[in-house]
Amino acid sequence: MPAADDPIGIDRSDEFFPDTTGSHWEYRGQITEGPLQTIEHKFFSNVSSVVGTKTLRGVTVMVFHDTNPGNHGVSDSFYRRDSVGIVYYGSEPGTPLEKQLIPYQIVRFPMKVATSFAQFDKKDLDFGTDMDRDGVNEKADAQGDSTVVGQEPVTVPAGTFQDAVRVEARMKMKIRLSGSNKVVTGTDVMTAWFAKGVGLVKYVERQELSPLEDRGVITEITEELESYEIKPLKTSFDGSKPAPQGLFTDDARDHKLQQVLFPSSLGSDS
């Protein structure tokens, strides 16, 4: 018999991340950014669609096409799901930093309330940006983890979803400026809510960068679901669901986060 303080498992965790081809989600978003003294607001929309599969690094991944995730323009993102979780395989176009981090795990099955796992701990990465303008890209250390906070109602334009799973992913970075050897710190915290049979219904991402000179930079991005269509899962002739393709082969110690911890649609390989 489980102990009273054992983590509470979430039944059929995979059903919180539908990824059938043809499914799509429409989101409305807002960005608040700038130094604290001059906050700017921007609004945007994004449509995410499952468009099929492709082979990356020798495995079959699901392809999510987004028209404007986080107001960053068109991109495709790649995910693989199996019996033990979901692994992110990057995006096109991806950032130089992201390419050094993938593949990394974003969800473990079964999800359990109030549990965390380390996603990565990598050092001396090419940050991909020359922040101090000395002609050399900075180096960065990055560490991240993911936590299943619990289940709670969440209301968005598409409606109210009871028992949505709230997940928090947190990344910490130390960026070493090549010119001065000064260390700049950054944090990226993504809180996302997933509804069973629907998928991602809302996320709030907050990025903070310590000041290079006199003022730091804070960016907060929110996307909320406006409408969605989930295509039914194809079944075999006996009515049963097909088995997942392949087995989980990635070592969680090698998984890493990107500049947005959870891409705007979490998908998988079914």
Side-chain angles (χ1 to χ4, degrees):
M1 185 173 182
D5 57 353
D6 281 351
I8 300 172
I10 297 174
D11 291 338
R12 306 188 72 85
S13 293
D14 60 307
E15 294 184 1
F16 288 81
F17 308 95
D19 63 351
T20 45
T21 299
S23 298
H24 67 270
W25 302 258
E26 297 184 11
Y27 299 93
R28 71 178 185 190
Q30 178 177 341
I31 299 175
T32 304
E33 61 184 348
L36 292 177
Q37 296 90 337
T38 55
I39 294 295
E40 181 181 3
H41 299 280
K42 299 177 183 178
F43 299 91
F44 65 95
S45 61
N46 175 44
V47 178
S48 181
S49 307
V50 185
V51 296
T53 64
K54 69 182 297 183
T55 300
L56 287 178
R57 299 176 180 236
V59 301
T60 300
V61 297
M62 296 301 297
V63 181
F64 278 68
H65 178 77
D66 283 79
T67 59
N68 192 27
N71 205 34
H72 295 308
V74 176
S75 72
D76 289 335
S77 301
F78 313 112
Y79 305 86
R80 176 173 180 247
R81 174 175 64 189
D82 56 28
S83 61
V84 296
I86 299 173
V87 176
Y88 177 58
Y89 275 82
S91 63
E92 292 179 357
T95 66
L97 179 62
E98 178 188 75
K99 295 180 188 304
Q100 300 167 80
L101 307 178
I102 56 175
Y104 62 83
Q105 191 169 20
I106 54 178
V107 177
R108 284 184 175 176
F109 294 153
M111 292 186 289
K112 296 182 179 181
V113 173
T115 61
S116 303
F117 68 90
Q119 294 182 294
F120 56 88
D121 188 354
K122 293 195 174 183
K123 300 184 183 302
D124 207 34
L125 303 171
D126 181 352
F127 188 56
T129 302
D130 177 16
M131 297 177 67
D132 57 6
R133 300 182 181 88
D134 67 345
V136 179
N137 283 354
E138 320 308 338
K139 295 289 187 179
D141 300 338
Q143 181 272 332
D145 56 67
S146 178
T147 302
V148 178
V149 178
Q151 289 184 271
E152 61 191 30
V154 60
T155 299
V156 294
T160 297
F161 299 90
Q162 303 293 334
D163 297 324
V165 175
R166 179 178 174 180
V167 179
E168 181 179 285
R170 180 180 298 268
M171 178 171 67
K172 298 178 182 179
M173 298 191 70
K174 291 183 178 180
I175 307 160
R176 294 182 296 280
L177 303 183
S178 53
S180 63
N181 231 17
K182 179 181 178 181
V183 174
V184 176
T185 59
T187 60
D188 188 328
V189 179
M190 171 78 80
T191 304
W193 289 262
F194 301 89
K196 182 177 284 190
V198 178
L200 179 69
V201 296
K202 179 180 179 178
Y203 79 81
V204 179
E205 179 183 16
R206 183 178 176 89
Q207 302 170 330
E208 295 188 34
L209 190 65
S210 64
L212 279 178
E213 295 174 352
D214 61 336
R215 293 184 296 181
V217 176
I218 296 174
T219 302
E220 186 167 288
I221 305 171
T222 301
E223 285 193 35
E224 295 183 332
L225 186 65
E226 289 191 305
S227 65
Y228 62 96
E229 180 183 7
I230 308 299
K231 296 294 185 180
L233 181 68
K234 293 181 180 180
T235 59
S236 61
F237 289 112
D238 64 1
S240 62
K241 293 182 180 180
Q245 299 176 8
L247 294 175
F248 183 78
T249 58
D250 301 281
D251 188 330
R253 292 173 297 179
D254 294 332
H255 297 151
K256 187 54 199 99
L257 226 356
Q258 67 174 94
Q259 85 279 9
V260 174
L261 278 75
F262 283 123
S264 62
S265 297
L266 293 187
S268 53
D269 179 359
S270 53

